[in-house]
Each structure stands twice: as C-alpha cells, then as structure tokens.
Amino acid sequence: MSLDKILAISGKPGLYELKTQTRSGFLAESLLDGKRLSVSIRHNVSVLSEIAIYTFTEEVPLREIFKKIHEKENGEQAISHKESKNKLETYFSEVLPDYDEDRVYASDMKKVIQWYNILQAKGMTDFSEPEENNNSEEEE
C-alpha cells in the first residue's frame, strides 16, 4: 500500500487508512485499533506522501526517511518515540545527517519514528515511489 492512502489526522492518535470518500469528507480506518472514523473536511489532515523533512539543502520526502530507517533497522522496529529528546536527535541524525535542527523539532522526530513503527508493525514497509502509468514506452 502506498503512502498516498495513509493519513495523519490532527488531534487523533496514530495513522489512518483512507477507505472511501463521503459527501462531507471521508471514511478512515485506524491502523492502531481498526476502528472506522468519519472525518469531515474541517479536520486538518495530512497525507504521508505529501510530508517532507527539512535538510540544509532540500526537503526530503517522508518515504525516503522511512526507507532509511527501514535499512538502518534491517526491517525491524525503530527506537521508541518516547525516548529522550537527546536519544531522538542522535537517532535522527544517524538516519538523516543533514536535517535542519532549527526547523525540525523533537516533536517532528517523535511523529516520524512513531509513524514508521506503526507502518512496520502493519507490514506496510514498501516505501518505494508509486509507479505512474506511462503508456508511451508500451506504444513504441
């Protein structure tokens, strides 16, 4: 499953999978407990595929960060998001050495690590770029 269907909803713990659209928003299912939730368009919702982390040179997509954590941990769980600020910063600098310390906060690091652990526990570890349907090669 791609990160295009995984959501973070402000004020709600964990991650959600987009199930279907409704007239007033959409229906999402929690990856933590499987409960379904009706989300209105007034909620602040972030799609994981649209999130990036600041570095000194560019913004790195969240999927790239997840790939690096996955490689570092050999596909296993990362450290707990409840570790101390210093441990989180040390861990994050191992994963993304040039992250911008002025714009990436400990709370951001906690979210990224927590989200990775949720996805890893659900077996959603394919963080590759979604393939676009490109028919031009097939036509030649």
Side-chain angles (χ1 to χ4, degrees):
M1 172 180 306
S2 79
L3 295 181
D4 295 333
K5 297 221 181 247
I6 306 297
L7 313 170
I9 303 171
S10 182
K12 305 283 184 196
L15 294 174
Y16 294 82
E17 179 182 353
L18 176 64
K19 289 296 186 182
T20 186
Q21 279 192 295
T22 64
R23 284 186 303 227
S24 61
F26 55 89
L27 191 65
E29 183 177 298
S30 172
L31 293 180
L32 292 175
D33 59 14
K35 291 184 180 174
R36 291 191 175 216
L37 172 71
S38 179
V39 182
S40 75
I41 55 177
R42 290 189 292 268
H43 281 89
N44 187 5
V45 176
S46 300
V47 180
L48 263 55
S49 63
E50 302 295 317
I51 298 174
I53 301 294
Y54 294 111
T55 66
F56 292 116
T57 56
E58 62 183 337
E59 292 181 18
V60 178
L62 195 55
R63 89 173 64 254
E64 296 298 321
I65 308 294
F66 287 162
K67 270 190 210 174
K68 291 179 181 195
I69 295 172
H70 191 259
E71 290 168 11
K72 176 178 172 35
E73 300 298 337
N74 295 320
E76 298 298 318
Q77 290 271 303
I79 64 170
S80 171
H81 65 281
K82 295 180 181 178
E83 292 286 352
S84 70
K85 180 182 177 205
N86 289 340
K87 280 189 180 178
L88 290 172
E89 288 173 347
T90 301
Y91 184 85
F92 214 76
S93 65
E94 291 171 5
V95 173
L96 191 65
D98 60 340
Y99 79 92
D100 188 342
E101 295 96 352
D102 293 333
R103 298 196 290 178
V104 180
Y105 303 107
S107 60
D108 300 326
M109 294 175 210
K110 283 182 180 192
K111 283 181 190 173
V112 170
I113 291 169
Q114 180 184 26
W115 291 345
Y116 170 82
N117 285 336
I118 291 170
L119 293 172
Q120 191 277 339
K122 288 289 182 183
M124 299 177 181
T125 57
D126 180 13
F127 303 119
S128 56
E129 198 82 30
E131 292 183 19
E132 294 183 24
N133 294 336
N134 188 354
N135 294 332
S136 61
E137 291 178 17
E138 294 173 10
E139 293 172 1
E140 291 180 10

